[in-house]
Amino acid sequence: MTRSIIKIKTTFLDHQIAQLSAIAIGLSLIESVLPSPMPGVKPGIANIITLYAIYHFNFKTAMWVSILRVFASSLILGQFFSPTFMLSLTGSVFSLLTLYFAIKLPSKFFSPISFSIISSFAHIGGQLLLVRIWLIPHASIYYLIPIYSLAALIFGFINGWLTYRLLKDHNSL
Amino acid sequence: MKSRTKFFFGDSLIILISLIFIFFTFKNFWHFETGSVVQVNFQGKIYGNFSLFQDRKISLIGNEGESIIEIKSGRTRFKSAPCRNQYCIQQGWIHFTGQMLICIPNELSIEILGKTKAYDSLNY
């Protein structure tokens, strides 16, 4: 019996995406063991990698990293196709869509901190929209908007600052 | 070597806009206005609306016994109830619109009325 070896041709970009995704998945897993004050308030440290990929490479890489991270971390945590996964995916898609337009802003005035805050707001916005439509179809979740917005600002700022420092150290700003 | 964080004009703009947004969401979604009228529901019917600024005690005799509702200086509470658990009394005073106290054994509930109702309907 002849042994058949299936080999997929990979490019340098594929390796970069894989490496960045691996870091992002690791960060997601670390984050999942951290206690959260209330459901939905999470630091979202994996977004540092998404932002880093946008600056260091391009938007397409960042998109791959973000989506792969969502799928892989949910598979590892056993949340695949659960509401948690759906919320995570929605949040990522919304924040990527917003970032796609946000990165067109002049980099002279806007640093990763801005993009991090914008993307975390888009993330929680998308998630709240999904919760409102699908999980809790009741107007009472509007009470949570202020808390989530505040968390988005704080964690968005921290993540953005970390990304800024990271990019500065890697001379890609 | 310590790298100094550069000041970005856009960042402060974004943070400012976010802060304004958060401030307005807090103001819009977390407004607790003080009510002025309390509605008393007794045995599935509206017993009456009473002003919170007129101190009075309302005594109602239901299936279990006598419940006394007290209205005092813009607030209201259950003063005494015939039931064993006394949940309605332990809830204390209420004065924000939409807040309500319910005494299930005696089929009695009181609700502070506002511009919008907090609950669509209640049934025993």
Side-chain angles (χ1 to χ4, degrees):
Chain A
M1 201 170 125
T2 52
R3 218 167 14 156
S4 67
I5 299 163
I6 300 167
K7 195 157 183 180
I8 304 166
K9 269 217 172 101
T10 52
T11 60
F12 176 70
L13 192 67
D14 294 336
H15 288 275
Q16 289 293 349
I17 290 170
Q19 281 172 9
L20 287 170
S21 300
I23 301 167
I25 293 159
L27 288 175
S28 286
L29 295 183
I30 290 167
E31 194 181 85
S32 71
V33 298
L34 290 175
S36 157
M38 66 182 279
V41 176
K42 287 207 305 181
I45 41 177
N47 280 317
I48 295 170
I49 306 301
T50 312
L51 279 169
Y52 179 82
I54 284 187
Y55 269 87
H56 213 280
F57 300 96
N58 51 24
F59 182 77
K60 211 180 149 195
T61 316
M63 199 179 77
W64 273 110
V65 168
S66 183
I67 299 297
L68 275 173
R69 194 261 304 167
V70 170
F71 275 85
S73 65
S74 74
L75 276 172
I76 294 165
L77 294 168
Q79 298 167 339
F80 198 47
F81 282 118
S82 72
T84 320
F85 163 76
M86 290 301 181
L87 284 170
S88 182
L89 187 66
T90 316
S92 290
V93 168
F94 267 75
S95 77
L96 280 172
L97 270 174
T98 319
L99 276 176
Y100 179 75
F101 294 106
I103 50 169
K104 290 185 168 53
L105 288 167
S107 59
K108 201 179 154 195
F109 299 119
F110 295 93
S111 76
I113 297 172
S114 293
F115 301 134
S116 180
I117 293 171
I118 291 168
S119 89
S120 65
F121 265 102
H123 198 273
I124 196 63
Q127 289 187 329
L128 281 174
L129 201 66
L130 185 72
V131 170
R132 176 71 180 85
I133 293 166
W134 180 43
L135 292 170
I136 310 166
H138 189 263
S140 61
I141 65 152
Y142 295 141
Y143 282 110
L144 301 174
I145 292 176
I147 304 169
Y148 284 135
S149 313
L150 197 64
L153 178 62
I154 293 166
F155 290 124
F157 180 80
I158 294 168
N159 288 342
W161 189 72
L162 289 172
T163 316
Y164 179 81
R165 291 302 300 267
L166 196 66
L167 289 164
K168 197 110 182 161
D169 288 350
H170 289 203
N171 292 321
S172 50
L173 203 68
Chain B
M1 205 176 87
K2 209 174 172 297
S3 61
R4 231 172 68 82
T5 312
K6 212 173 98 187
F7 175 78
F8 283 93
F9 173 71
D11 287 353
S12 36
L13 198 72
I14 296 278
I15 291 167
L16 193 72
I17 292 168
S18 316
L19 281 174
I20 292 167
F21 174 76
I22 290 164
F23 176 75
F24 275 100
T25 51
F26 265 107
K27 231 183 140 197
N28 271 322
F29 297 119
W30 280 26
H31 64 296
F32 297 116
E33 30 180 327
T34 320
S36 57
V37 175
V38 60
Q39 188 180 68
V40 178
N41 294 292
F42 184 51
Q43 291 176 338
K45 285 191 286 285
I46 296 170
Y47 180 77
N49 292 347
F50 302 94
S51 169
L52 283 175
F53 303 110
Q54 280 179 323
D55 295 358
R56 67 188 293 168
K57 287 192 180 80
I58 303 156
S59 170
L60 290 163
I61 294 155
N63 297 330
E64 294 285 316
E66 189 189 30
S67 286
I68 298 171
I69 298 157
E70 187 182 13
I71 300 171
K72 202 176 179 187
S73 54
R75 305 182 300 171
T76 183
R77 68 163 177 176
F78 273 104
K79 192 175 166 62
S80 83
C83 57
R84 201 161 56 85
N85 293 323
Q86 307 274 301
Y87 287 137
C88 55
I89 292 164
Q90 282 170 30
Q91 297 228 15
W93 294 96
I94 56 168
H95 63 290
F96 292 127
T97 59
Q99 277 186 311
M100 67 189 306
L101 300 175
I102 303 169
C103 167
I104 289 182
N106 236 356
E107 294 177 64
L108 185 61
S109 74
I110 57 176
E111 182 185 1
I112 310 282
L113 293 185
K115 283 177 211 131
T116 51
K117 272 181 83 91
Y119 307 99
D120 287 337
S121 77
L122 282 161
N123 287 298
Y124 291 107

